[in-house]
Amino acid sequence: MTLHSTASTAKSLRARMLHSGAWLVGSNLGSQVLRLASNLILTRLLLPQDFGLMAAVNTLYFALVMFSDLGIWQSVVKSPHGDDARFLGTAWSMQMARASLLALGVLGMVLGLLLGQGQGVFAADTVYADTRLPLMMSMFALCALLQGAESIRLATAQRQLHGRIMARLELSSQLAALFVTLGLAWWTHTVWALLAGTLTGSAIRTLLSHLVVPGKPVRPCWDRSHVRELLGFGKWIFLSSIVGFLAAHGEKLILGATLGLASFGVFAIAGNLLAAAMGVYSTVNGRVIFPSLSQALRDGDETRLVRVYTRVQQLADGFLGLITGMLLMAGQWVVWLLYDARYHEAGWMLQWLSLGLLAMRHQVVEQLMFARGMPAWVTANNILRALLLATAIPVGFALAGERGAIAGVVLSQFASWPLSLYFKYRHGLLWGTERWWLPALVAGMAIGGTLHLLLSTWRG
């Protein structure tokens, strides 16, 4: 490859990164605004217990999704065969087969919940003892089938950094879900409105994936060589996804069996607010950074790979540091200004949980691990987080009740830092990418502290 062609390729990748990133960031910001606005309306129409129930359903379903993850989309994005029709057809067949098994898994979980409730396994006031939970959970079997039927062209759109297409599809399905949820919540004032909105969003997303995503038609097929490639990469994704779920969402499983239903609902509100801050970062990390690093690797340019990684890590550190600092100092005001007194306990939870945003900065290097074909490192990171989570929450709850449990959640998110730092040191990436997060955190705390003083004066 000539110097001129290398420079042109680098410029093309940078332009596509910026264009795709701009669309996805804009879409995600719009999505978070819509989600926050609907959340504010729904908290006036529904009870904290309803949010606790829906959080439990989403967590249990997401657990099954992650426990069956084969990394099909990541394989399409990363593989040199990612544009081959037969490879895509095989990937789509595997996606649909996984969805069918996932639906059966949902029904199996429903049976387990019914048996557990009948035997009095769950504490009376917890979310798992609520008689509405099994029926709500069973409806997610349909959600699994809808997601399996999504066009595999969505993965190729991600591979090619078509951020505009992905953004329009995401917003369209979210708007449809939002209208259904708010309309039914206003009419019924029941938790079933949340479930109906989720199913509507899944159905619209699947329909649009076949209607609006460009590309050649893909037919399901089965090629053994491609299956081996998909499973060869997917086996590590599978293991990493299991422990990754436990590391990132295991606290909901534990707290759901520990806290009362109303308290768990308040915790869910704090989690929703935090998700608004996490959403932009997570979307760009998975749909722009990973494809960009993978493209640099496919081009065989190690220097450009390091340059792309260093730049995006610095940008992530600046964003996460600022947001963490502001929420740490002024997060309670977000809750007090937006929600009524029933939800004010979510304020201190949001402040503490915001520290977990800073721990997320090493998700960028985990995308580099994936792009280099080294998912075992990500699995090891997730195991460290999951192990500390499983021990820190019970110990924290025993020592200091609800606040101790939340402290355990926060502490566990930093368990993977030592291994990530070691990986960066081995690959000569450490010193250029560890300089920005602390100044950004201090700046964010200064901004948040100023807001806290101003609002305290105004309120006083």
Side-chain angles (χ1 to χ4, degrees):
M1 184 178 288
T2 66
L3 182 63
H4 176 71
S5 63
T6 300
S8 300
T9 302
K11 184 177 180 180
S12 173
L13 177 60
R14 183 166 60 251
R16 285 189 291 141
M17 278 183 62
L18 292 173
H19 185 264
S20 180
W23 269 100
L24 289 171
V25 168
S27 168
N28 206 278
L29 286 173
S31 174
Q32 299 305 332
V33 170
L34 288 175
R35 185 175 288 111
L36 178 59
S38 66
N39 193 262
L40 292 175
I41 297 172
L42 289 169
T43 54
R44 272 73 177 175
L45 298 174
L46 304 175
L47 299 173
Q49 291 89 329
D50 295 329
F51 291 97
L53 267 174
M54 198 62 193
V57 172
N58 281 322
T59 301
L60 292 172
Y61 175 69
F62 191 50
L64 290 174
V65 170
M66 298 300 284
F67 285 12
S68 61
D69 188 11
L70 295 175
I72 294 172
W73 274 32
Q74 292 96 322
S75 295
V76 171
V77 171
K78 177 182 179 296
S79 174
H81 304 109
D83 294 317
D84 180 75
R86 193 159 181 82
F87 180 85
L88 293 173
T90 302
W92 194 19
S93 297
M94 292 179 64
Q95 174 180 291
M96 289 188 285
R98 170 183 172 263
S100 300
L101 293 174
L102 181 57
L104 292 176
V106 170
L107 297 179
M109 183 174 287
V110 170
L111 179 60
L113 286 170
L114 289 171
L115 292 174
Q117 289 178 352
Q119 297 296 321
V121 172
F122 310 115
D125 189 39
T126 61
V127 65
Y128 299 132
D130 195 292
T131 56
R132 293 171 292 178
L133 185 60
L135 181 57
M136 291 179 65
M137 190 69 200
S138 66
M139 298 301 294
F140 269 66
L142 177 58
C143 194
L145 295 176
L146 287 170
Q147 290 175 347
E150 289 177 355
S151 173
I152 199 66
R153 293 201 301 267
L154 283 174
T156 60
Q158 181 175 330
R159 172 186 172 91
Q160 297 162 5
L161 294 173
H162 289 163
R164 179 177 64 88
I165 296 168
M166 302 292 289
R168 292 171 62 183
L169 185 143
E170 296 285 356
L171 279 177
S172 298
S173 58
Q174 184 183 2
L175 280 171
L178 177 62
F179 286 133
V180 170
T181 300
L182 292 179
L184 288 178
W186 175 79
W187 184 33
T188 66
H189 293 272
T190 67
V191 70
W192 299 103
L194 300 174
L195 181 64
T198 299
L199 291 174
T200 300
S202 294
I204 295 298
R205 177 185 166 91
T206 299
L207 179 63
L208 292 179
S209 73
H210 291 278
L211 296 179
V212 304
V213 179
K216 296 179 180 179
V218 177
R219 294 181 179 180
C221 62
W222 197 261
D223 186 295
R224 290 185 178 181
S225 63
H226 292 322
V227 170
R228 285 194 294 270
E229 178 182 345
L230 288 161
L231 291 179
F233 182 73
K235 64 184 179 183
W236 287 109
I237 300 291
F238 172 74
L239 180 57
S240 179
S241 294
I242 292 176
V243 294
F245 168 81
L246 295 175
H249 302 280
E251 79 279 359
K252 298 184 182 71
L253 295 177
I254 300 172
L255 294 176
T258 304
L259 303 180
L261 183 55
S263 295
F264 187 67
V266 171
F267 172 78
I269 292 296
N272 288 340
L273 288 171
L274 192 68
M278 293 167 56
V280 174
Y281 171 70
S282 297
T283 298
V284 173
N285 193 38
R287 297 187 179 179
V288 178
I289 294 175
F290 176 66
S292 301
L293 294 172
S294 297
Q295 180 66 56
L297 274 171
R298 289 197 299 270
D299 293 339
D301 190 338
E302 183 70 21
T303 301
R304 183 154 56 91
L305 173 68
V306 172
R307 187 166 59 248
V308 170
Y309 164 71
T310 301
R311 183 59 176 163
V312 295
Q313 181 68 76
Q314 291 171 345
L315 291 173
D317 288 349
F319 174 76
L320 292 173
L322 282 172
I323 297 297
T324 298
M326 288 189 290
L327 288 177
L328 183 62
M329 300 301 295
Q332 194 170 38
W333 284 101
V334 175
V335 176
W336 286 0
L337 292 173
L338 296 178
Y339 296 93
D340 61 57
R342 294 176 299 168
Y343 300 94
H344 282 181
E345 281 294 297
W348 69 265
M349 295 183 185
L350 176 62
Q351 286 180 287
W352 290 24
L353 292 171
S354 67
L355 286 170
L357 287 174
L358 194 61
M360 292 178 61
R361 58 179 294 270
H362 278 156
Q363 286 187 2
V364 178
V365 78
E366 290 181 357
Q367 297 297 340
L368 179 61
M369 294 170 185
F370 276 132
R372 284 188 178 276
M374 304 170 70
W377 283 79
V378 182
T379 301
N381 268 348
N382 286 330
I383 288 174
L384 290 174
R385 284 193 290 260
L387 287 175
L388 188 55
L389 188 70
T391 54
I393 293 180
V395 170
F397 187 78
L399 294 175
E402 191 174 89
R403 290 179 181 266
I406 300 300
V409 173
V410 174
L411 179 63
S412 67
Q413 299 307 303
F414 290 88
S416 63
W417 271 40
L419 190 59
S420 291
L421 290 172
Y422 176 64
F423 178 89
K424 293 168 75 169
Y425 172 76
R426 282 188 54 178
H427 290 82
L429 303 170
L430 184 60
W431 311 118
T433 57
E434 291 294 324
R435 298 180 300 189
W436 296 100
W437 67 267
L438 185 56
L441 176 64
V442 173
M445 291 178 67
I447 296 171
T450 302
L451 289 173
H452 175 75
L453 289 175
L454 291 175
L455 290 170
S456 297
T457 303
W458 168 73
R459 192 183 187 191

